[in-house]
Amino acid sequence: SPVALTASGKPWYENENGKNLYFDPSCSGDGNSANRWIFDDSVPSVTATSDLDGDGKCAYAGRITSTSNLPPGLSIWKVNCGGWIDVLVFITETSECIATNSTTDDGTDGNFYCINGGTAVGIAGSCTCVSCSAGFSGPNCARVEKFYLSGTYIGKCAVSGNCFSSLNYGSNERCTFTVSEGGLLDVISFNTEEGFDKLAVGGVEYDGSSGPEGVAVSSGDEITWYSDLVNNDDGFEICVGDPCIA
């Protein structure tokens, strides 16, 4: 999609590498240079009627003489590679992804289905959702996370699917893992500085090599973690399984 329209009413494009494509009625500003589309590093003015990069000369990486709205596709451009040469250039216009609530929007045209508060990012054909509501993840924000994360200094704290962790943690971490779906905790690994770096579950603190194995948690419970300023350790990874049914 265009960044903006310039004073001529033509679109100005910018690619992912910061290169700009725009129309300049007179690249030198003296009225003697031909109308041309320009490809260059310079950001064009959207108010100037000529010499859009303001350098007073025609200096750029590539050009094509045309007054039309440059269509996507193949065109022969003059490209400066130590001298001007003809190069066949393929131009395609891409659209930024937009979140929708239609389950049929697959991102092909930039419209992409995001649920549970997600925001679509990327370009058409390569969309995904970010900033999902707490407790959800995945490319469409549809996957239910059994924990969600908050805190004043998250550091290496993370949640993924059924698990939460802070592996090879850093100093002064302050994290809260809130349970969105209850069950029994399954300690995959647990090793913190004993007496100082502690995980608290249901009011009970765990440190050293003793984690909360088999402790039951319910939706809405908060599990807190903090580390001090020195002597960090391997950290922990803990998952939740289905609660036992009598």
Side-chain angles (χ1 to χ4, degrees):
S1 300
V3 176
L5 298 179
T6 62
S8 67
K10 309 287 188 185
W12 152 37
Y13 299 95
E14 184 179 37
N15 71 9
E16 66 274 12
N17 298 316
K19 304 296 184 181
N20 295 282
L21 174 65
Y22 57 92
F23 176 79
D24 198 331
S26 175
C27 55
S28 64
D30 60 7
N32 295 321
S33 51
N35 297 308
R36 58 193 57 172
W37 285 86
I38 288 171
F39 179 72
D40 200 29
D41 293 329
S42 301
V43 173
S45 166
V46 295
T47 57
T49 57
S50 64
D51 188 19
L52 270 61
D53 62 359
D55 65 355
K57 56 186 177 180
C58 295
Y60 35 73
R63 74 172 190 266
I64 184 170
T65 301
S66 174
T67 58
S68 68
N69 286 324
L70 189 68
L74 284 170
S75 302
I76 297 176
W77 283 64
K78 291 287 186 182
V79 177
N80 191 346
C81 297
W84 292 103
I85 60 172
D86 289 339
V87 175
L88 192 61
V89 176
F90 181 79
I91 296 175
T92 181
E93 182 178 357
T94 58
S95 298
E96 294 183 356
C97 299
I98 300 172
T100 74
N101 58 9
S102 173
T103 58
T104 61
D105 285 336
D106 61 2
T108 302
D109 60 356
N111 293 315
F112 191 63
Y113 175 54
C114 285
I115 193 172
N116 299 314
T119 299
V121 296
I123 60 174
S126 182
C127 300
T128 193
C129 299
V130 297
S131 302
C132 307
S133 295
F136 298 94
S137 66
N140 296 96
C141 292
R143 186 174 68 219
V144 177
E145 296 283 4
K146 294 200 173 180
F147 300 92
Y148 57 92
L149 174 63
S150 61
T152 56
Y153 179 68
I154 289 173
K156 294 188 177 180
C157 296
V159 295
S160 179
N162 292 359
C163 304
F164 65 97
S165 64
S166 184
L167 296 170
N168 299 310
Y169 61 86
S171 299
N172 202 33
E173 291 187 349
R174 299 289 186 273
C175 304
T176 299
F177 305 97
T178 302
V179 181
S180 60
E181 187 174 328
L184 300 179
L185 296 182
D186 178 19
V187 177
I188 308 303
S189 63
F190 195 94
N191 191 15
T192 72
E193 183 189 9
E194 188 170 0
F196 296 96
D197 301 339
K198 299 181 180 183
L199 184 77
V201 183
V204 179
E205 293 185 335
Y206 299 86
D207 58 84
S209 59
S210 298
E213 178 64 37
V215 173
V217 293
S218 301
S219 177
D221 287 353
E222 292 186 346
I223 298 170
T224 59
W225 157 251
Y226 65 90
S227 60
D228 66 4
L229 296 175
V230 293
N231 299 326
N232 304 328
D233 221 317
D234 297 332
F236 58 87
E237 181 179 13
I238 301 171
C239 302
V240 67
D242 295 328
C244 294
I245 300 175

